Amino acid sequence: MSIEKVDTLVVGGGQAGVAMSEHLSKCGVPHLVLERGRIAERWRSQRWDSLVANGPAWHDRFPGMEFPVTGPDGFPSKEEVADYFVAYAKQINAPIRCGVEVKLVQRNVGRPGFRVETSDGVIEANSVVAATGPFQVPVIPPVVPKDAGILQIHSSGYRNPAQLPKGAVLVVGAGSSGVQIADELQRAGRRVYLSVGPHDRPPRAYRGRDFCWWLGVLGKWDLETPGPGTEHVTIAVSGARGGETIDFRRLAAQGLTLVGMTKTYQDGVMTFAPDLAKNIARGDASLMSLLDEADAYVARNGLDLPEEPSARRIDPDPECVINPILELDLAAAGIAAIVWATGFAVDYSWLKVDAFDEKGRLRHHRGVSMEPGIYFLGLPWQSRRGSSFIWGVWHDAKHVADRISTQRKYLAYHAAAQREPVDA
């Protein structure tokens, strides 16, 4: 069987793969993008039905195209986001081959490049870009046994309230996904318990500007390294119903029961840490800190933006915060399902190269691996705080494509030098 050859192979046809293709084309680098499903597959098949983007359309997009349906200050639906990347790939004529899974990447022995085994045959590439992003393997903590007689699903498998059996629901995780799913279930008439851990909760908008704008002008998107203990901070924000600031006290007032971090399960009883009030207070502090910085920015620059004192309103703690539930008999509470909004892990088991440390962590700088010829794209904090966002991926792809292009020029010189005749 013949072996297909390509200069650069990009693995993954989501937002990272599309962005990578655009910049490789601009650099004149021949390439191929392989996607095991459809373009932007995870936006379609691993998101709940009512999901909309967490950032406004003017912000969470590539520079070369606006969203065709949702206005700049609106929040596109998940299907519109997926359609956006399909249209963008067509606009840039991206060489994306769908329905092909990459199974193994190994360095060639004694010669440059990599051997790539796929579901459609073998490909040889000089460079490989892993553009599969951070949301690869759903993580469900091993707390409740699978045979406990209760439905357990990850947030990536949740679609809508009708999907779950009748009864109450425990949602674990108070980031954007957990909060929005819990809110949707409660509005659908379900009894909902929400397990809340440490988090930041920015204002959806303040003084007439979305929080994405504030993080931009305050330089927070461009932070290159997370502060101590903030590498994996959960951010609670929502674009649902036109966008709103997440307020856990409001959620409790509308009937949702808050509990602390989920700890253990035994004989049908779930236990929670006594940290709910502390976690809520931390979220409040993050909100107030950003409002303070925004006010200082307005004053310093003389901006004509209306004051918004109501944004600092903190309602009294609800009963579930004052007297938190530390143990919950799931059957007695009528809980028939648990939705784990507990994030994802990466899976690079197909990448058999020297790109990882002894603990399996990636060794790279801004997506350029310590293994020559291997690159990564779509990682959190790849170059800055905004790296895992749509616009951040686009900018990171530009840097990676430039590095690939530079290496090609050195190799081209070497090849040309070898072809030159030697004087007798």
Side-chain angles (χ1 to χ4, degrees), residues 70-402:
T70 299
D73 293 317
F75 301 89
S77 69
K78 72 183 187 79
E79 291 295 333
E80 187 179 355
V81 173
D83 289 343
Y84 175 90
F85 290 119
V86 172
Y88 201 95
K90 183 177 181 181
Q91 174 178 285
I92 65 174
N93 198 26
I96 299 180
R97 190 177 298 170
C98 293
V100 181
E101 181 179 2
V102 172
K103 297 185 175 182
L104 183 66
V105 174
Q106 290 179 308
R107 178 172 288 283
N108 290 328
V109 178
R111 57 192 178 91
F114 301 88
R115 174 186 171 89
V116 182
E117 297 181 9
T118 80
S119 58
D120 195 36
V122 175
I123 298 174
E124 286 198 348
N126 293 328
S127 301
V128 175
V129 182
T132 49
F135 307 120
Q136 297 172 26
V137 182
V139 172
I140 295 181
V143 176
V144 181
K146 294 181 179 180
D147 60 357
I150 187 168
L151 175 67
Q152 299 184 69
I153 64 170
H154 190 267
S155 57
S156 61
Y158 170 79
R159 295 295 172 264
N160 54 63
Q163 170 194 17
L164 304 182
K166 294 181 179 180
V169 182
L170 169 63
V171 179
V172 181
S176 296
S177 296
V179 168
Q180 292 178 50
I181 291 171
D183 189 30
E184 177 176 87
L185 289 167
Q186 196 280 328
R187 290 172 183 270
R190 296 298 188 98
R191 173 73 169 163
V192 179
Y193 296 83
L194 177 62
S195 178
V196 180
H199 63 273
D200 286 351
R201 63 175 192 98
R204 173 71 270 175
Y206 181 58
R207 300 185 71 161
R209 297 290 183 268
D210 190 87
F211 97 96
C212 289
W213 186 85
W214 283 115
L215 265 60
V217 298
L218 294 173
K220 295 184 179 295
W221 289 130
D222 290 328
L223 292 175
E224 294 184 358
T225 56
T230 65
E231 293 88 347
H232 305 292
V233 170
T234 296
I235 299 179
V237 67
S238 174
R241 292 177 297 281
E244 57 190 11
T245 298
I246 297 300
D247 185 338
F248 289 96
R249 294 176 180 83
R250 176 185 57 78
L251 292 173
Q254 72 185 38
L256 193 147
T257 301
L258 308 175
V259 294
M261 286 191 68
T262 298
K263 300 298 290 183
T264 64
Y265 171 90
Q266 186 173 4
D267 298 329
V269 177
M270 190 80 85
T271 65
F272 306 99
D275 60 357
L276 178 58
K278 181 178 68 175
N279 295 337
I280 296 293
R282 170 180 173 158
D284 295 343
S286 71
L287 172 67
M288 295 304 169
S289 177
L290 185 57
L291 299 186
D292 288 343
E293 290 187 60
D295 287 343
Y297 182 88
V298 169
R300 183 169 62 251
N301 293 280
L303 301 186
D304 184 19
L305 294 177
E307 294 186 3
E308 192 177 342
S310 61
R312 295 179 177 274
R313 176 182 172 183
I314 299 293
D315 291 331
D317 284 341
E319 178 63 21
C320 60
V321 174
I322 297 172
N323 296 301
I325 296 173
L326 301 181
E327 292 187 354
L328 185 64
D329 185 311
L330 300 186
I335 294 175
I338 301 175
V339 178
W340 296 93
T342 41
F344 296 79
V346 296
D347 178 12
Y348 293 114
S349 58
W350 50 273
L351 200 52
K352 302 298 184 182
V353 295
D354 188 22
F356 309 91
D357 66 16
E358 64 280 358
K359 295 183 178 180
R361 296 172 300 196
L362 299 181
R363 298 188 303 140
H364 75 97
H365 177 67
R366 296 186 64 183
V368 180
S369 171
M370 299 299 103
E371 170 74 90
I374 297 292
Y375 303 85
F376 297 94
L377 187 61
L379 304 174
W381 290 94
Q382 178 158 320
S383 69
R384 70 192 86 184
R385 182 180 181 180
S387 285
S388 54
F389 291 78
I390 292 172
W391 63 271
V393 165
W394 190 89
H395 287 284
D396 284 344
K398 185 176 187 297
H399 173 77
V400 173
D402 179 69

